[in-house]
């Protein structure tokens, strides 16, 4: 069911992009995109604006509905798995308690850099 809704969602998205690209801007004449007065006969006497804007509104509503449906399915899919790589709070507290502090209250540490021994064999 979820895969079918996802495929419908993608098809609606493609159709919505195509309809938006077909529409003309506010300043453009109807004859500029369809060649003369042909736009009046193809989409009716009102021109293409009314048909394309209504079709865009219907597709936008369908896109919104499929988006909400997919979001609902995603929220009902389940919780995160136990082994998600996030440590428990108790483990974090144990690690913080075992880390030595920098203020000198902890045990003394040897901070000298190691020295490599020179070999005479070369």
């Amino acid at each position: 069911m979820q895969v079918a809704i996802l495929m419908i969602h993608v098809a609606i998205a493609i159709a919505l992009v195509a309809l938006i690209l077909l529409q003309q801007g506010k300043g453009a004449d109807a004859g500029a995109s369809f060649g003369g007065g042909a736009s009046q006969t193809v989409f009716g006497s009102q021109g293409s604006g009314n048909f394309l804007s209504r079709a865009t509104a219907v597709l936008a509503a369908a896109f919104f509905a499929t988006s909400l449906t997919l979001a609902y399915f995603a929220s009902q899919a389940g919780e995160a798995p136990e082994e998600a790589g996030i440590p428990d709070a108790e483990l974090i507290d144990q690690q913080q308690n075992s880390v030595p502090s920098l203020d000198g209250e902890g045990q003394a540490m040897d901070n000298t850099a190691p020295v490599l021994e020179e070999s005479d064999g070369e």
Side-chain angles (χ1 to χ4, degrees):
M1 175 85 172
Q2 187 174 0
V3 174
I5 293 176
L6 182 62
M7 290 187 330
I8 292 170
H9 185 72
V10 170
I12 289 173
I14 292 170
L16 194 59
V17 168
L19 270 178
I20 290 172
L21 289 176
L22 277 177
Q23 293 183 24
Q24 56 200 1
K26 274 189 169 182
D29 288 331
S33 60
F34 289 105
S39 66
Q40 304 253 336
T41 60
V42 172
F43 294 111
S45 63
Q46 296 293 325
S48 63
N50 199 12
F51 170 74
L52 291 178
S53 61
R54 284 189 184 180
T56 304
V58 168
L59 283 179
F63 185 80
F64 184 72
T66 55
S67 295
L68 287 177
T69 306
L70 289 171
Y72 175 76
F73 283 144
S75 69
Q76 297 299 319
E79 307 258 335
E82 295 293 325
E83 293 294 321
I86 302 172
D88 292 333
E90 296 173 5
L91 181 63
I92 294 173
D93 288 339
Q94 290 174 359
Q95 289 177 349
Q96 287 177 348
N97 292 338
S98 66
V99 174
S101 64
L102 296 176
D103 57 1
E105 293 177 8
Q107 51 185 310
M109 296 178 65
D110 183 21
N111 291 332
T112 59
V115 179
L116 294 177
E117 297 179 11
E118 296 181 19
S119 62
D120 294 332
E122 292 182 21

